[in-house]
Amino acid sequence: MTNTARHRLRLIIPTALAALAVTATTTAAHTAPTSAAAHAVTTHNHQEPPMNTKDTKDTQAMLDAWLQVWNGDFAQAPGIISPGFRVHAALLDGGDGSSVRGVDGLVAWIGQTRAAFPDLHFSAQVEPLIDGHYASVRWTATGTYAGGFPGARAEPGTAVTFTGTDTLRIRDGKFVEYWLNSDTLELLKQLQAV
């Protein structure tokens, strides 16, 4: 594999996975009914003040905007993404996601993902959990492969479906960290990349 192909793989695969996970979080928040009383849990593990019912509603609004960003409305990103935003993910090239930083890094990553899967859609398997300054959701992603994924032998037009869980940390009204766990192996099998 050439250095250019490795670089594209490093950018596209993590982007696809993060995009899928992130979109799922927003979709889950957007489509699942939530009860602030049922999901607002005070956490005492951090020095941040506990969230109240209004904060939980604000988190739901942030998750809605998060979905809009993943669906291509990049104008929403500065309102919900901290300049110090960090991604934590096991990337296929061995990276840890730390190269994806701030609004610009996230938007670039999402753009790359949507180039390979332009109709990507996430739906929640369960409604999101909000625990203090964290929001997490289990999701299913579906879309159509458009081509360009390094190492993929699947034909453009191939339908893909895979699952994952994403978790976001909130501070001062913006997302500051993102952890992604997705079934990358299932996606790679469908793309005939493994």
Side-chain angles (χ1 to χ4, degrees):
M1 184 179 289
T2 67
N3 284 340
T4 302
R6 282 189 195 126
H7 179 69
R8 282 187 70 204
L9 181 64
R10 182 170 188 243
L11 294 175
I12 291 173
I13 292 172
T15 303
L17 299 176
L20 298 175
V22 173
T23 304
T25 299
T26 310
T27 300
H30 182 69
T31 60
T34 57
S35 162
H39 297 290
V41 178
T42 302
T43 180
H44 299 286
N45 302 9
H46 300 81
Q47 297 187 14
E48 299 173 68
M51 295 178 74
N52 59 34
T53 302
K54 179 189 177 301
D55 292 334
T56 301
K57 289 179 184 176
D58 290 347
T59 299
Q60 292 298 326
M62 288 175 63
L63 291 171
D64 289 342
W66 179 262
L67 176 61
Q68 292 172 19
V69 171
W70 282 102
N71 286 332
D73 184 2
F74 300 142
Q76 296 288 324
I80 61 166
I81 304 299
S82 168
F85 179 82
R86 293 184 46 184
V87 172
H88 304 277
L91 307 182
L92 292 178
D93 68 354
D96 62 3
S98 62
S99 62
V100 179
R101 293 280 197 159
V103 173
D104 293 340
L106 179 64
V107 166
W109 196 18
I110 294 169
Q112 291 170 353
T113 301
R114 297 201 65 80
F117 306 93
D119 65 345
L120 201 57
H121 176 75
F122 294 85
S123 58
Q125 291 181 336
V126 296
E127 63 182 274
L129 300 174
I130 299 172
D131 183 2
H133 294 273
Y134 293 87
S136 186
V137 68
R138 174 76 177 169
W139 48 262
T140 299
T142 58
T144 308
Y145 175 53
F149 198 94
R153 294 184 309 275
E155 292 293 322
T158 299
V160 297
T161 300
F162 60 101
T163 60
T165 302
D166 54 305
T167 302
L168 295 151
R169 183 170 70 90
I170 304 152
R171 183 172 181 194
D172 298 328
K174 293 192 177 188
F175 294 122
V176 294
E177 286 185 274
Y178 165 60
W179 291 266
L180 166 64
N181 292 298
S182 65
D183 191 348
T184 306
L185 180 59
E186 183 60 30
L187 175 62
L188 293 177
K189 284 180 184 177
Q190 292 172 56
L191 294 176
Q192 299 174 27
V194 292

